[in-house]
Amino acid sequence: MDNITVGFAVCGSFCTHAKAMTALEQVRARWQNVIPIVSECTAETDTRFGKAHDLMREMERICDHRVIASVKAAEPIGPQHLLDLLIICPCTGNTLGKLASGVTDSSVTMAAKAHLRNGRPLLIAPSTNDGLSGSAASIGALLNRKYIYFVPFGQDDPAKKPTSLVADFSQVADAAQAALEGQQLQPLLLRT
Ligand SMILES: Cc1cc2nc3c(=O)[nH]c(=O)nc-3n(C[C@H](O)[C@H](O)[C@H](O)COP(=O)(O)O)c2cc1C
């Protein structure tokens, strides 16, 4: 799989960043060339879940590649055909909404737009408390889009967070393999 280059973009669902790093390790174990990308929010925000600098350093260690963290740095992904697959893991409600609406004002949405123009697969691992409310329309729109695939997702806490959806991060590498083959990994909807 040495000729495959994968982009791995992280958005500001901070509570899932630890699981996302495990998924990134698994992706890197499968494909030699993995380019790390972070949203500006992720690059700038320290939270109770960790420091932004530490996360980016960890991504650079895993990938052995500098992090892309701006619209300007993400733009060459299009003209240079840099990626065979782009993974957004985790993908926030904010970024889902932008992707569904054609808004390109962040490093991650720029990476997605640049990559999709080349007709190559985009894999989304959603993580948002409003997946079954405010972001439901975005997810629905993206499910119906060419070249877009999802990491299987489900409700993470139906009793306490009835509208929350989160991807199964342990399936990211398998979903990536399927997306590279033009397939949606099934079952897409997970039972709680
Ligand atoms: C501690 C913390 C945790 C958050 N967790 C989530 C989350 O799990 N899912 C989500 O959609 N947004 C979450 N947010 C909100 C996003 O970070 C916010 O919408 C941000 O604008 C996302 O930007 P991005 O999509 O460019 O990364 C969280 C914010 C904070 C401060």
Side-chain angles (χ1 to χ4, degrees):
M1 285 298 208
D2 275 348
N3 295 329
I4 299 288
T5 301
V6 177
F8 194 101
V10 171
C11 292
S13 169
F14 298 94
C15 58
T16 61
H17 283 173
K19 280 194 287 185
M21 290 307 98
T22 303
L24 178 56
E25 296 260 24
Q26 291 164 353
V27 167
R28 180 75 208 282
R30 233 181 256 204
W31 294 284
Q32 183 70 29
N33 306 314
V34 182
I35 298 178
I37 302 164
V38 290
S39 67
E40 287 80 350
C41 168
T42 302
E44 291 163 3
T45 313
D46 296 336
T47 73
R48 64 186 183 279
F49 300 105
K51 289 194 186 311
H53 179 77
D54 292 344
L55 181 83
M56 290 189 288
R57 203 171 50 184
E58 176 73 348
M59 292 177 75
E60 290 181 342
R61 180 194 67 75
I62 294 168
C63 299
D64 195 22
H65 195 287
R66 290 297 299 271
V67 161
I68 290 176
S70 68
V71 169
K72 183 179 173 185
E75 184 275 337
I77 288 171
Q80 293 179 17
H81 294 75
L82 276 182
L83 305 177
D84 296 287
L85 168 71
L86 174 61
I87 304 171
I88 304 180
C89 173
C91 187
T92 55
N94 178 58
T95 291
L96 287 166
K98 290 178 182 180
L99 292 171
S101 313
V103 175
T104 310
D105 65 352
S106 71
S107 47
V108 175
T109 51
M110 182 72 234
K113 178 178 178 175
H115 176 67
L116 284 169
R117 89 171 204 189
N118 296 327
R120 293 179 179 181
L122 170 64
L123 176 67
I124 295 173
S127 172
T128 184
N129 284 333
D130 67 353
L132 292 176
S133 53
S135 290
S138 307
I139 292 171
L142 294 169
L143 282 168
N144 202 31
R145 240 6 112 71
K146 201 172 176 186
Y147 304 121
I148 294 188
Y149 304 89
F150 279 80
V151 177
F153 59 85
Q155 290 181 274
D156 50 315
D157 190 349
K160 291 192 188 136
K161 298 193 291 176
T163 64
S164 183
L165 291 178
V166 66
D168 177 358
F169 285 65
S170 71
Q171 297 195 56
V172 170
D174 285 345
Q177 180 65 58
L180 279 166
E181 294 165 7
Q183 303 289 327
Q184 169 61 56
L185 186 66
Q186 296 289 351
L188 168 60
L189 270 185
L190 301 176
R191 293 186 187 180
T192 314

